[in-house]
Amino acid sequence: MWISTYAKKVELALKIKGIAFEYVEEDLSNKSSLLLQYNPIYKKVPLLLHHERPVCESLVILEYIDETWKNLQPPFLPQDPYERATVRFWATYCLQISDTMKKAFISAKDAEEGAFDELFEKLKVMEEGTKDFFPGGRSNICADNLGLLDIIIVCSLGTFRAAEEVLGMKILDPEKNPFVYSWVTTLLELPLVKDTLPPHDKVVSRLEFIKQNGFTFQSNI
């Protein structure tokens, strides 16, 4: 599914490591026998098939990639156990933010901001927590030093401008969330990220379609 933020995390991770892969797109309204065979429990994307062995769930796949290709730079997780645990914590929290944003978008009626209250609160928490974790900021980001949290945050929030355009409201505010806003927008300027995330106009078109048709929220969109 081309718009799946979960699948994009895996695609970006493989590109960062320079790992060759075959990309197979799924129609989630008509799931293939291959997907059902290798992911019979969740029946979702992403699914990484390595030596005929399936690995499911985006966060699990990212750690699998990092541990399997340890010789390839950059490492996605820090060496220090506490720092690794902290990255995992905020990665999980960011995935919750991504789900909250999607649910808010689906439930928003005529861009009523009330649907986004939970999202704004979670963004505030992440702003303060990650700012403390990266006291020096993330202004030196490049393709050679991207980590697990960079991958997750840019794929989870990277389409915020398209959502803002469709709803006519501010979602990721540079005044309220200066650290997260700067972090995400800096990542979006990297050529590797631009090459991986779907084009803005295509996302806008898809979100307009979702808004007009009132699709039920799906966690693997």
Side-chain angles (χ1 to χ4, degrees):
M1 182 59 175
W2 65 266
I3 201 173
S4 168
T5 58
Y6 298 93
K8 288 300 175 184
K9 293 176 181 70
V10 176
E11 187 179 345
L12 180 58
L14 290 167
K15 289 180 177 179
I16 291 170
K17 291 279 193 179
I19 301 166
F21 64 95
E22 178 187 1
Y23 173 77
V24 180
E25 195 161 286
E26 279 287 330
D27 176 1
L28 296 180
S29 63
N30 184 26
K31 297 175 182 179
S32 71
S33 58
L34 191 67
L35 176 63
L36 298 177
Q37 174 188 348
Y38 285 110
N39 191 3
I41 297 175
Y42 291 116
K43 303 179 178 67
K44 294 179 181 179
V45 295
L47 165 69
L48 178 67
L49 197 59
H50 185 220
H51 296 314
E52 293 301 312
R53 296 184 300 180
V55 186
C56 307
E57 297 297 285
S58 59
L59 191 54
V60 175
I61 296 173
L62 294 189
E63 294 209 34
Y64 177 85
I65 290 170
D66 199 34
E67 293 170 359
T68 302
W69 288 276
K70 287 183 178 180
N71 59 314
L72 299 179
Q73 297 295 315
F76 291 158
L77 287 163
Q79 290 298 313
D80 180 77
Y82 180 76
E83 291 182 0
R84 288 167 71 91
T86 304
V87 167
R88 288 187 176 111
F89 173 84
W90 287 115
T92 302
Y93 192 82
C94 189
L95 291 176
Q96 293 176 7
I97 288 177
S98 178
D99 282 348
T100 301
M101 183 165 73
K102 292 166 192 169
K103 290 175 182 177
F105 180 88
I106 296 298
S107 63
K109 304 297 182 184
D110 301 320
E112 291 177 359
E113 293 194 21
F116 287 83
D117 287 348
E118 182 183 356
L119 172 64
F120 295 149
E121 183 59 33
K122 286 186 175 179
L123 284 171
K124 180 181 177 182
V125 171
M126 187 157 190
E127 172 80 15
E128 295 304 318
T130 53
K131 183 171 61 178
D132 291 341
F133 185 63
F134 296 112
R138 296 295 287 143
S139 58
N140 64 337
I141 297 174
C142 66
D144 294 332
N145 64 9
L146 294 179
L148 184 79
L149 204 46
D150 295 311
I151 296 169
I152 289 177
I153 197 169
V154 74
C155 291
S156 296
L157 298 176
T159 58
F160 77 93
R161 289 195 178 107
E164 289 179 344
E165 183 175 329
V166 171
L167 293 174
M169 62 178 288
K170 186 67 68 176
I171 293 176
L172 191 56
D173 195 321
E175 294 184 3
K176 295 179 180 178
N177 313 110
F179 179 75
V180 172
Y181 178 87
S182 174
W183 187 2
V184 172
T185 54
T186 300
L187 286 166
L188 287 172
E189 289 303 311
L190 296 179
L192 192 61
V193 174
K194 286 183 177 181
D195 182 58
T196 303
L197 296 188
H200 174 80
D201 291 346
K202 190 177 180 181
V203 176
V204 169
S205 177
R206 178 66 175 178
L207 294 182
E208 286 281 11
F209 181 80
I210 292 172
K211 180 185 175 185
Q212 292 169 9
N213 289 271
F215 274 5
T216 302
F217 170 76
Q218 301 234 353
S219 62
N220 56 6
I221 287 177

